[in-house]
Amino acid sequence: MFLWGTATAAYQIEGAVAEDGRGASIWDTFVHEPGRTRDGHTGDVACDHYHRWREDVALMSGLGVNAYRFSIAWTRVLPEGSGAVNPKGLDFYERLVDALLEAGVTPVPTLFHWDLPQALEDRGGWLERDVSGLFAEYAAVVAERLADRVPTWITLNEPFIHMAWGYGLGVHAPGRALLLDALPVAHHQLLGHGLAAQALRAAGAREVLITNNCTPVWPASGSEEDLAAAAAYDTLHNRLFNDPVLLGTYPDLTAYGIRPDGAAGDGPELSAALGIRDGDLAVISAPLDGLGVNYYNPTRIAAPADDGLPFTDAGVTGYPTTAFGWPVVPDGLRELLTGLRERYGQALPPVYVTENGCSQADELTPDGVDDQGRVAYLRDHVAALERAREQGVDVRGYFVWSLLDNFEWAEGYHQRFGLVHVDFATGERTPKASYGWYRDHIAAALRP
Ligand code: PNW
């Protein structure tokens, strides 16, 4: 059955950051440093989902979704990242899973949505190879408790954004601006994915996915320079994370000053630059049951400026934008999905759109929230997904980001992505017009 769902992430909704033995993550640290998030907003309380989860499950029942993608906070389960298990953390997710199952909603947990235990960051974070193995140990602990009831698991969320924004540019936690020196974070996350997949299967998980943030890359012109820059960006954003998993190889990173292994010339070789060892790619490329794809918008790329990167973001123009300033290009979803099919062919497993949605300056009135812009956004993206299916792409699920307005990382509470409005002063939830639209759409789609 096609999965119609919504998605959230632990740090963005749970709050209760010091309750029941939860340890600190890099996001707890980051948000309490001055100037890191807009207006200094933090996820200390967020949607208070940790206390209001029953209400949120009821909202999903009302919506009629048959799946819910949420993430598990590593620090609730292993407060120090490794070592002692905190049973209260596992209890929380077990209660949630059981309530979802009772409501007819398939739980689809993600094990890592950017909230690395601070204790592991203190040891170097994802720059350190050891963290890959510790991630798999954490996966085993969670799966031993829940895999008897949870069929489908996602290892990582958007390892590209975590590497690029967290370690490359420093605009997300852990706030490190290492530029290309962040590349080992790609390999260590992917190795962590592969080792965690083994642990999940050993514990009885039926389906294992990874979620990558993918973007169609549009060259700003047909010039040779712009085409080369677009190819370089596509390599970094898309291929660096899809190729190893689906093909068992890394893409050519020559544009980034990295030589293929064994090739003559200047600069480090690929394996040295990323920290790849013999056998790693076999672990990373073990067959998956699905590829999770998060789609928000295409990217338009031009020849490099002078900042050491082989591309510049030229900005997509001529389309409406969301409150975040992101262009609204529904057909980009079809283009992305058919492009994956063309690039990977038989190596592409079934695809799940694990996030899609938009931020809007939604206003709560006595009549509710009339977010017609979001209704149109979702309607048009679902239509694009259907076109991709007609063109032969095996798409098996669609998850709206997000069920609730929530803590939008560096933007704090300034971007609202929810189908449900949240008053962050009181925690009160109010379904928006888009909630009604999605409910009706799902009911029609699932009608026998
Ligand atoms: C995703 N981009 O992040 C995350 O998985 C969510 O946690 C987040 O709330 C949501 O999208 C909305 O931002 C992204 O620049 C961050 O392409 C950046 C990009 C895309 C997604």
Side-chain angles (χ1 to χ4, degrees), residues 9 12 69 113-114 157-158 161 165 172 213 237 294 296-297 324 326 355 401 406-409 417:
Q12 295 180 271
R69 173 175 181 245
H113 200 122
W114 305 346
N157 178 69
E158 299 190 353
I161 299 289
W165 292 25
H172 275 185
N213 170 266
H237 190 130
N294 293 351
Y296 288 93
N297 51 257
F324 220 139
W326 297 358
E355 287 180 27
W401 184 271
N406 60 48
F407 176 76
E408 177 51 36
W409 308 115
F417 276 88

Side-chain angles (χ1 to χ4, degrees), residues 126-146:
W126 285 111
L127 289 162
E128 286 302 313
R129 185 180 171 92
D130 289 358
V131 172
S132 313
L134 297 176
F135 178 60
E137 288 176 23
Y138 151 61
V141 169
V142 176
E144 274 154 27
R145 177 74 82 96
L146 296 175

Side-chain angles (χ1 to χ4, degrees), residues 44-315:
D44 288 357
V45 178
C47 306
D48 199 26
H49 169 79
Y50 192 77
H51 299 112
R52 303 179 78 125
W53 58 273
R54 280 188 193 82
E55 196 181 335
D56 295 335
V57 173
L59 283 165
M60 282 185 270
S61 288
L63 192 54
V65 288
N66 57 17
Y68 172 48
R69 173 175 181 245
F70 59 100
S71 84
I72 293 177
W74 190 336
T75 55
R76 288 201 191 277
V77 177
L78 292 147
E80 297 296 314
S82 63
V85 173
N86 174 35
K88 285 187 174 169
L90 286 169
D91 293 346
F92 171 70
Y93 295 108
E94 183 168 59
R95 285 195 295 274
L96 176 65
V97 158
D98 288 343
L100 288 165
L101 291 169
E102 205 165 304
V105 180
T106 300
V108 182
T110 299
L111 287 168
F112 180 70
H113 200 122
W114 305 346
D115 44 357
L116 190 77
Q118 181 61 41
L120 300 187
E121 177 61 21
D122 294 342
R123 292 158 59 174
W126 285 111
L127 289 162
E128 286 302 313
R129 185 180 171 92
D130 289 358
V131 172
S132 313
L134 297 176
F135 178 60
E137 288 176 23
Y138 151 61
V141 169
V142 176
E144 274 154 27
R145 177 74 82 96
L146 296 175
D148 59 338
R149 277 156 286 175
V150 174
T152 305
W153 295 77
I154 300 174
T155 54
L156 305 175
N157 178 69
E158 299 190 353
F160 170 72
I161 299 289
H162 189 54
M163 173 193 78
W165 292 25
Y167 289 81
L169 303 173
V171 297
H172 275 185
R176 306 188 62 176
L178 303 172
L179 296 175
L180 291 177
D181 290 337
L183 280 170
V185 171
H187 183 64
H188 295 148
Q189 285 185 95
L190 288 169
L191 181 61
H193 153 76
L195 295 170
Q198 290 177 354
L200 287 166
R201 292 197 196 282
R206 286 211 301 275
E207 297 190 323
V208 180
L209 282 59
I210 186 172
T211 281
N212 281 333
N213 170 266
C214 300
T215 183
V217 180
W218 295 350
S221 80
S223 78
E224 215 173 290
E225 292 78 13
D226 285 355
L227 290 172
Y233 189 74
D234 181 39
T235 296
L236 188 71
H237 190 130
N238 297 313
R239 298 190 56 172
L240 182 60
F241 296 88
N242 286 329
D243 284 15
V245 167
L246 300 178
L247 305 176
T249 55
Y250 273 99
D252 185 298
L253 293 174
T254 307
Y256 296 91
I258 294 167
R259 281 183 288 149
D261 286 340
D266 296 329
E269 292 189 1
L270 179 73
S271 290
L274 271 69
I276 306 163
R277 296 191 193 162
D278 283 352
D280 287 357
L281 278 157
V283 173
I284 291 169
S285 62
L288 286 181
D289 304 287
L291 178 68
V293 168
N294 293 351
Y295 171 74
Y296 288 93
N297 51 257
T299 309
R300 192 163 148 267
I301 294 291
D306 244 359
D307 61 357
L309 289 170
F311 59 82
T312 37
D313 190 332

